[in-house]
Amino acid sequence: MRWMRALRRGVLVAAVLLAGCSDVAWSPGEPPAGGRGPLTFATAGDLTHYLAPLVDDWNRGHREEPVTLVELPDSADETRAQMLSELRSGSSRFDVLNLDVAWTSEFAAAGLITPLDRDRFALDAFLSPVVDTATFDGRLYAVPYVTNAGLLYYRADVLEAAGEKPPATWAELARQARTLAPRYGLAGYAGQLLPYEGLTVNITEAIQSAGGTVLRDDGTRVAVDSDAARAGLAFLADGLREGWIPTEALGFKEEESRAAFEEGRLLFLRNWPYVYAEAGGPGSKVAGRFGAVPLPGLDGPGTSVLGGSNLAVSARSKHPATAADFIAYLTSEPVQRQVLTRGALPPVRASLYDDPSLVASHPYLPILRQSVLAAVPRPKSARYDQVSLVVQAVGQDVLALRDTPEEGVRRLARELSAVSNGS
């Protein structure tokens, strides 16, 4: 997903400064039955260069089972396409796959990745919602590796000057965006509203934050025809119609919206945690003047979509026992700590969010933990790519005010039903 590329790029400086961390101390448990030997680890491009040292640490202790790191394109769409092409050809080239959380169900349903033994991994030590992203049809098909949840960034200086607190509901956000922002020469609120995966995330979050859902847990039952879904779409459409969401936000992805906030043009921004380091860094016009809170919702705290990635074993791997050991290594506490400090990616280990030294250097961790614990995965479906395209197409028409929220919900229900039925 493209937020991951922006996340990696946005924290390059931090990764370089911390690249001198000591080697990981890790001892594998008893491996499951299966083949052992060298592995190939396929992932999207690592722009912060934190993965290669972690693979080197593994290789120093496993000279008979070395791992070769294969970096695919930075684009999530291209990475997914190359992985699917390789696996569908019957190739055993890739052993371990770093999958966007939204792809796990698709790859599992297609038989491209193999079920895993829950007892092999320390799942109880993970933030509980992230484990759900790695399951399909009641079975574990991957192990969570990194996670993410959306945050609401706000201009702390503006709210303080106005004697206001950060909004906890949509009504508060809309009022402040409509009344305070113009007073300070700012636009009110923006998310990622260009038709791509980010729009799917923003619309899904709006529906969930009003108490609704798009698909039921099994991914086959469409549940979007609800008052909650209409309220979620109306929240975004009303913002555009009333002007407190600027029309330029219809062209925003993660980086465009981040830049608008850092340039001092927005009162509120929905984005991922990587923005915290960027907005507080050199060159940012809002450094020292902003804060972050969990997303607001219809009547109280909202519900973010879970981002991140999961580690899976190819169904064609000749060395699944070693692959399981390698996944256990990457999700161990010492390595997860380096995933945060070297790669600045949010870890899945719950204990790291309470570590005083990590909170001191990453002050958003407690807020992020709160958001992750309240977050839910994107709609699970073996046809997730089609589900996402439907949400984007309908959402684009609603936000461009070509369809009403009521018409949009009817279209979503109708078109998602067609996807679920395979038509």
Side-chain angles (χ1 to χ4, degrees), residues 30 151 322 387:
E30 288 297 319
L151 300 175
T322 304
V387 170

Coordinates of all heavy atoms in Angstrom, one line a residue, residues 30 151 322 387:
E30 N 11.8 -24.8 18.9 CA 11.8 -26.1 18.1 C 11.1 -25.9 16.8 O 9.9 -25.4 16.8 CB 11.2 -27.2 19.0 CG 12.0 -27.6 20.1 CD 13.3 -28.2 19.7 OE1 13.3 -29.0 18.7 OE2 14.4 -27.9 20.3
L151 N -4.3 8.5 12.5 CA -4.4 9.5 13.6 C -5.0 10.8 13.1 O -4.9 11.1 11.9 CB -3.0 9.7 14.2 CG -2.3 8.5 14.8 CD1 -0.9 8.9 15.2 CD2 -3.0 8.0 16.0
T322 N 12.3 -23.8 8.0 CA 13.2 -22.6 8.1 C 12.4 -21.3 8.0 O 12.7 -20.4 8.6 CB 14.3 -22.7 7.1 OG1 15.0 -24.0 7.2 CG2 15.3 -21.6 7.3
V387 N -13.3 -5.4 -4.4 CA -14.1 -4.6 -3.4 C -13.5 -3.2 -3.3 O -14.3 -2.2 -3.2 CB -14.0 -5.4 -2.0 CG1 -14.5 -4.5 -0.9 CG2 -14.7 -6.7 -2.1

